Amino acid sequence: MELLYTGIIGVARTLFKVQGLDITVRGERHFPAVGGAVVVINHTGYFDFVYAGLPARVHKRFIRYMAKAEVFDHPVAGPIMRELKHIPVDRTAGRGSFEEAVNRLRAGELVGVFPEATISRSFEIKGFKSGAVRMAAEAGVPILPVTIWGSQRVWTKGLPKNMVRPGVPILMEVGEPVQATGPVDACTEDLRSRMQATLERLQDEYARRYGPYPEGATWVPARLGGSAPTLEEATALDDAEHEERMRRRERRDR
């Protein structure tokens, strides 16, 4: 039994109650009771990795997330990440982390991946990196798509935190397992399209259950009348941020 991981999940669930979050989860039975799978999650908020772990608990299972290596260097977070058996990713040389993930999958683990690579500022689904499909194909395991809507209202990139008592609804759906067969690019795009369709369905349900989206709200996509950047605008912001990060790294390494 993994006492630390179990304890963290318990603390998280208590926090959700204190925050007044109304979390609806569907499709958790798609998680396998045993065996490996790549858990693919869309990314609109900083706590998506916590929320996405909830449906895996239907079979008392844990997700091992692939996370940037810098987190593992932190004096506090690093030891915790290693104890929870998450997988560090060196974004400049990712082959080692890819092979580690494949080995974990073959050993029957659940490996969590955010294929958009970063939070979507538009709250639409960005283009997917192909790594999730490639590792599922190499390990011979299915892909489990997990789509989340509403988590950006708690804490997301570029908006103020709403941590004390947000009291907001969050919808989450685990889709049917997807087999990584055929060309990698086609399979990756098919997975992204499935999750975009699920996201739009969850967005529609959200409005029906909790009322129309406020006009101009910062947490609402432009497509639904909000003031979030469009997918194209968000991509430009991400590109500019990446270029600035690279410039800072170059200056530091001189």
Side-chain angles (χ1 to χ4, degrees):
M1 184 176 181
E2 299 189 42
L3 295 178
L4 180 59
Y5 213 149
T6 302
I8 288 174
I9 291 171
V11 169
R13 283 177 164 159
T14 300
L15 177 62
F16 299 158
K17 290 180 181 178
V18 171
Q19 290 179 308
L21 298 180
D22 177 13
I23 301 177
T24 299
V25 181
R26 285 196 299 267
E28 56 263 59
R29 290 290 171 183
H30 288 311
F31 269 88
V34 295
V38 179
V39 183
V40 170
I41 310 135
N42 70 308
H43 208 4
T44 59
Y46 286 113
F47 287 113
D48 290 336
F49 73 98
V50 182
Y51 305 136
L54 296 178
R57 300 302 294 156
V58 68
H59 296 303
K60 307 299 182 187
R61 302 196 67 184
F62 302 103
I63 298 175
R64 315 302 179 180
Y65 286 102
M66 301 187 75
K68 59 184 180 181
E70 292 86 344
V71 178
F72 292 79
D73 296 331
H74 190 276
V76 176
I80 294 174
M81 294 290 284
R82 286 187 286 273
E83 181 65 23
L84 300 183
K85 302 178 185 177
H86 296 314
I87 303 170
V89 177
D90 182 346
R91 288 181 287 186
T92 62
R95 185 64 196 177
S97 57
F98 179 89
E99 292 175 351
E100 175 64 19
V102 169
N103 290 336
R104 300 280 195 95
L105 292 165
R106 287 173 174 162
E109 295 272 17
L110 301 174
V111 174
V113 178
F114 291 96
E116 297 166 280
T118 186
I119 286 176
S120 173
R121 303 172 194 253
S122 68
F123 311 128
E124 307 283 8
I125 294 185
K126 294 161 52 72
F128 278 7
K129 306 293 185 183
S130 63
V133 169
R134 290 188 292 108
M135 68 177 65
E138 188 159 332
V141 300
I143 299 167
L144 283 178
V146 178
T147 309
I148 304 173
W149 176 245
S151 67
Q152 74 274 20
R153 299 185 69 180
V154 180
W155 187 19
T156 192
K157 183 182 291 186
L159 296 181
K161 297 179 186 178
N162 188 16
M163 295 285 293
V164 178
R165 191 168 173 80
V168 299
I170 295 174
L171 302 183
M172 182 162 39
E173 183 169 316
V174 183
E176 293 185 2
V178 176
Q179 301 301 320
T181 57
V184 169
D185 289 347
C187 188
T188 299
E189 182 53 32
D190 176 68
L191 178 63
R192 194 206 68 79
S193 296
R194 288 173 186 243
M195 292 182 69
Q196 178 66 32
T198 302
L199 178 66
E200 291 177 13
R201 181 160 42 78
L202 292 178
Q203 290 169 336
D204 290 345
E205 178 185 343
Y206 203 92
R208 290 195 305 272
R209 289 176 60 176
Y210 306 110
Y213 291 112
E215 189 70 25
T218 56
W219 59 273
V220 176
R223 174 173 54 83
L224 298 176
S227 60
T230 65
L231 186 57
E232 293 74 18
E233 291 167 342
T235 298
L237 289 170
D238 290 339
D239 290 344
E241 186 179 81
H242 175 73
E243 290 173 4
E244 177 58 27
R245 186 165 58 246
M246 291 300 99
R247 282 194 292 269
R248 288 198 302 268
R249 180 176 296 177
E250 289 176 3
R251 289 194 294 267
R252 187 179 64 244
D253 293 342
R254 284 175 185 169

